[in-house]
């Protein structure tokens, strides 16, 4: 499975011929200045919550590509007001079978207001169960015991976890999360974009290695195979 990083917590994966984009936040991110959002294709866009650093480019990309946006009900209603009609609302605990596989929405402990201050519903994590591989995107979250439920539903090939601290888990908690998830290949997101979430990436990679796990930190614009 191919994963392309667009910086912060924005990335895409290719599944069963579908391009799935997550949490589009590119144009406001100075570190992603090399990325032209008009070249980004998407069949689906998954939005974990309504904060601007996860939804900033959602409307423009969704309108240009016609991608179906999967998100919390309240986020879907907000997107409709912005002119995005192709949405699929979900909520914690629910699952749905899409053409590429089944996605289950799981708990993410965070806040979830929208850019205009309106209510954005519950933040979400997404568990993808596909014919190719299974993976979990935690979204923005604290470490939570709910993560121990994930292996009951699927054996993970990899997971995507925030590691930047301050707003989410830090590296130490992400290692515990990986233990809960019974997953040994982790893609780190939500770090180094701005001052509050600066980390030492070499120390982070080393800490995961000591724990018997692999932390992958792809460069912005880089595609890796998982």
């Amino acid at each position: 499975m191919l994963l392309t990083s667009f910086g912060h917590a924005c990335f895409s994966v290719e599944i069963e011929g579908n391009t799935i984009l997550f949490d589009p936040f590119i144009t406001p991110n100075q570190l992603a200045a090399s990325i032209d959002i008009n070249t980004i294709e998407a069949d689906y866009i998954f939005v974990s919550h309504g904060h601007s650093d996860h939804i900033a480019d959602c409307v423009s990309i969704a309108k240009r590509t016609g991608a179906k946006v999967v998100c919390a009900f309240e986020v879907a209603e907000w997107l409709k007001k912005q002119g995005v009609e192709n949405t699929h609302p979900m909520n914690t605990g629910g699952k749905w079978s899409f053409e590429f596989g089944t996605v289950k929405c799981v708990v993410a402990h965070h806040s979830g207001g929208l850019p205009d201050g309106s209510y954005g519903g519950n933040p979400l994590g997404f568990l993808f169960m596909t014919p190719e591989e299974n993976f979990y995107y935690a979204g923005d979250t604290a470490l939570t015991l709910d993560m121990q439920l994930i292996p009951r539903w699927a054996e993970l090939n990899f997971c995507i976890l925030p590691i930047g601290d301050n707003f989410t888990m830090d590296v130490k908690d992400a290692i515990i999360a990986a233990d809960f998830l019974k997953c040994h290949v982790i893609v780190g997101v939500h770090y180094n974009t701005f001052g509050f979430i600066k980390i030492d990436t070499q120390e982070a990679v080393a800490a995961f290695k000591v724990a018997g796990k692999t932390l992958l930190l792809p460069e912005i614009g880089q595609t890796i195979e998982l």
Side-chain angles (χ1 to χ4, degrees):
M1 188 174 290
L2 298 177
L3 181 149
T4 301
S5 170
F6 296 111
H8 196 51
C10 181
F11 60 95
S12 67
V13 295
E14 304 289 331
I15 308 173
E16 296 285 296
N18 292 275
T19 299
I20 302 171
L21 182 67
F22 293 81
D23 286 353
F25 170 74
I26 302 159
T27 54
N29 182 2
Q30 294 182 357
L31 300 179
S34 62
I35 303 296
D36 178 3
I37 66 166
N38 294 310
T39 65
I40 295 175
E41 296 302 324
D43 298 297
Y44 291 86
I45 301 172
F46 278 73
V47 176
S48 64
H49 63 293
H51 286 167
S52 60
D53 63 327
H54 292 257
I55 202 171
D57 293 310
C58 184
V59 172
S60 62
I61 295 175
K63 286 183 176 180
R64 177 176 56 81
T65 62
K68 183 183 293 293
V69 184
V70 183
C71 53
F73 173 81
E74 292 82 359
V75 176
E77 291 297 295
W78 182 84
L79 287 170
K80 288 179 183 178
K81 294 177 182 178
Q82 319 307 312
V84 178
E85 295 294 336
N86 191 13
T87 64
H88 183 106
M90 296 189 73
N91 214 322
T92 311
K95 65 180 182 296
W96 190 265
S97 293
F98 297 95
E99 59 184 313
F100 56 80
T102 298
V103 178
K104 184 176 181 67
C105 293
V106 296
V107 169
H109 283 302
H110 196 59
S111 53
L114 287 155
D116 61 4
S118 58
Y119 176 60
N122 293 327
L124 300 172
F126 299 111
L127 173 60
F128 278 68
M129 296 165 282
T130 82
E132 294 184 22
E133 292 184 318
N134 301 324
F135 67 93
Y136 163 59
Y137 171 44
D140 279 12
T141 187
L143 175 66
T144 168
L145 290 172
D146 293 276
M147 293 172 178
Q148 294 180 84
L149 291 170
I150 301 292
R152 289 176 175 260
W153 297 315
E155 181 178 342
L156 298 177
N157 299 95
F158 64 94
C159 60
I160 303 101
L161 302 178
I163 58 173
D165 206 359
N166 194 71
F167 297 113
T168 68
M169 296 186 291
D170 64 0
V171 168
K172 290 182 179 179
D173 281 354
I175 291 171
I176 297 171
D179 284 335
F180 287 171
L181 297 165
K182 300 181 180 179
C183 185
H184 301 295
V185 178
I186 297 89
V187 179
V189 295
H190 211 276
Y191 67 94
N192 284 359
T193 314
F194 36 82
F196 286 123
I197 58 174
K198 292 283 187 181
I199 67 168
D200 186 318
T201 54
Q202 290 184 340
E203 285 186 3
V205 171
F208 272 85
K209 185 175 182 180
V210 168
K213 306 179 194 308
T214 300
L215 175 64
L216 302 173
L217 303 175
E219 299 289 333
I220 295 173
Q222 181 183 3
T223 299
I224 60 174
E225 186 169 357
L226 294 159

